[in-house]
Amino acid sequence: MKHIFRIISFLEGISYLLLLFVAVPIKYFQGDASYVKMLGMPHGLLFMMYIVLAIVIKKEMNWDNKTLGIVLLASILPFGTFYVDKKYLR
């Protein structure tokens, strides 16, 4: 389960960075919202999978509620999922 969570965590982090630093600037500077639409749905699905897997894996990893809170908070911060991978999953 940990391996699956690491993969989802990585993909969620990449999709979030692409959305924030590629798709959104293109939308506002070039007026083309197609990239946001194209990246938004996969990112949303990966985000939901990240949240669910974090809650499921909590018991397996022996995380307390504070650690789970940090892991969940990291999902909304740019580069946060990479921090979680390095600090809590390796």
Side-chain angles (χ1 to χ4, degrees), residues 21-74:
F21 298 115
V22 176
V24 172
I26 289 173
K27 177 182 177 181
Y28 287 107
F29 294 128
Q30 296 181 353
D32 184 6
S34 64
Y35 290 98
V36 173
K37 291 178 183 176
M38 181 175 52
L39 292 171
M41 179 64 76
H43 169 69
L45 293 172
L46 288 166
F47 176 77
M48 289 187 295
M49 289 170 57
Y50 179 91
I51 298 297
V52 169
L53 285 173
I55 293 168
V56 169
I57 204 171
K58 175 188 176 204
K59 191 171 193 172
E60 178 182 323
M61 299 295 293
N62 295 321
W63 290 340
D64 57 8
N65 287 334
K66 180 181 176 186
T67 304
L68 178 63
I70 292 168
V71 170
L72 294 176
L73 179 63

Side-chain angles (χ1 to χ4, degrees), residues 10-20 39 42-44 46-47:
F10 177 77
L11 293 174
E12 197 275 333
I14 294 293
S15 72
Y16 191 38
L17 293 176
L18 287 173
L19 195 60
L20 282 179
L39 292 171
H43 169 69
L46 288 166
F47 176 77

